[in-house]
Amino acid sequence: MHRLLGPLRWTSWDAEAGEHRMHEQPQPQVHSLLELPGEAARRGYAAVEVCHFHFPSVEASYLAQLRQAFAEAGVSLDTLLLDYGDPSTTDGIRQAADAKLFLEWIDIASQCGAKRIRIVAGEAQPTDEQAILRSAQALRELAEYASARGVQVVTENFKTLTSTGESSVKLLDSAGDGVGMITDFGNYKGKAKYGEIAMTAPRSSSVHVKPAYDEDGLPDEAELIRCLDAVRETGYDGAFVLIYDGPGDMWEGLERVKRIVAPYV
C-alpha cells in the first residue's frame, strides 16, 4: 500500500561519510499507518506486512499506539520488512553501523508487536561462498537476539546474494533453524524461476504473491498460476502476501490478485 501511506523514508549508506542517510520521498497519505489495520480488517484481510520506510515515528509511544491499533482491529502484524542492510559486506565501518541498525529495528519490531522481522541477506554475488557464510553468521546472531524479544528473524530472496534458489538454500542451511525465509515470486528470474520457488517455499513463513501486470493493471494470470502451482506442489501451508504495484486504485488491484490466489488458500 506504499502509494497510500504517506511519505516514504528510505535508508541508504553514505560510503564517503561512513554513516546512514535517510531520504524522505513525498507521497500522498490516504491512510495513516495507524489507520491501516482497521482499513485492512474492513476489507477482509487477516494480517499485513509493513516496510520500515512506512514508519513516521519509532518513538516508544507511537509504537505502543501502533501495536494497539493492530490489536483493536484484530489484524496481525506478521512481518516488519527492513528494506535496508547488507550483512554480507566486507566494509568494517558499514558492517558495524548496519549491525547496530538491525538491532534497533528488532527492538522496534518487538515493541510494535510484529511476529517477524525481514532482514536482507546482502548484496554480494550469489556465488560468493564467503559472503554467504558472513551473512549466515550475522543472521544467526541477530536471530538469537530477536528470539529473546519474541521476534523471529527471516530473510528473503531479495537483493543479489539470495537471487538464486541455490544461494538461498545455502544461506538457510548455514544460518540454522532460527532464521526463516520469505519467497517472493518477483525476485527469481529466468527459466529456473519455478524450480527456485519450489526450493524455498517449504522453508518460508510467507510467500509474496507479486504478479506481472499489463498497462491496465491486469495481472498475468497464467504466469501467476504457474508460480502458485509451484508453491502448492511443495505442500506449503503458510501465508500468501498479496502485492499490487500497478496503475490505478491499489485496493482494487489487490482484489484482482486475491481472486486468483483464493483457490490456493
Side-chain angles (χ1 to χ4, degrees), residues 30-236:
V30 177
H31 312 296
S32 71
L33 188 55
L34 293 176
E35 293 168 342
L36 180 62
E39 186 65 22
R42 187 178 74 80
R43 294 174 181 271
Y45 291 94
V48 299
E49 295 187 346
V50 177
C51 293
H52 89 285
F53 51 74
H54 290 309
F55 280 69
S57 171
V58 292
E59 294 295 327
S61 59
Y62 178 82
L63 298 176
Q65 290 180 54
L66 185 59
R67 187 181 190 122
Q68 184 65 24
F70 275 99
E72 290 178 353
V75 172
S76 172
L77 175 49
D78 267 14
T79 311
L80 193 166
L81 304 169
L82 180 57
D83 256 37
Y84 165 85
D86 185 4
S88 71
T89 184
T90 57
D91 180 335
I93 296 174
R94 181 175 182 183
Q95 195 174 64
D98 280 7
K100 181 175 181 291
L101 189 74
F102 295 148
L103 296 178
E104 290 172 352
W105 276 97
I106 289 171
D107 290 340
I108 291 166
S110 178
Q111 290 177 68
C112 70
K115 295 178 180 179
R116 304 176 188 89
I117 181 168
R118 191 279 311 277
I119 296 177
V120 179
E123 300 175 12
Q125 292 302 306
T127 53
D128 188 334
E129 300 286 345
Q130 291 304 309
I132 290 173
L133 293 176
R134 282 194 303 275
S135 179
Q137 180 178 343
L139 291 170
R140 184 167 55 249
E141 292 171 357
L142 292 168
E144 292 173 359
Y145 180 88
S147 178
R149 288 151 181 80
V151 178
Q152 183 193 16
V153 166
V154 298
T155 192
E156 184 182 338
N157 61 322
F158 180 47
K159 302 294 186 181
T160 315
L161 188 64
T162 49
S163 59
T164 70
E166 182 180 1
S167 64
S168 297
V169 169
K170 284 183 179 179
L171 177 81
L172 292 172
D173 287 345
S174 296
D177 294 339
V179 176
M181 182 71 180
I182 295 172
T183 297
D184 188 307
F185 289 169
N187 293 343
Y188 286 137
K189 307 295 183 182
K191 295 180 180 179
K193 172 179 179 175
Y194 308 101
E196 290 176 317
I197 289 171
M199 291 170 70
T200 54
R203 305 177 74 162
S204 296
S205 56
S206 67
V207 166
H208 286 181
V209 182
K210 186 187 293 177
Y213 306 96
D214 66 16
E215 61 185 12
D216 296 318
L218 299 176
D220 184 336
E221 188 165 345
E223 201 279 333
L224 183 55
I225 286 174
R226 189 172 178 185
C227 294
L228 290 165
D229 284 343
V231 170
R232 181 161 62 183
E233 289 169 6
T234 70
Y236 173 79

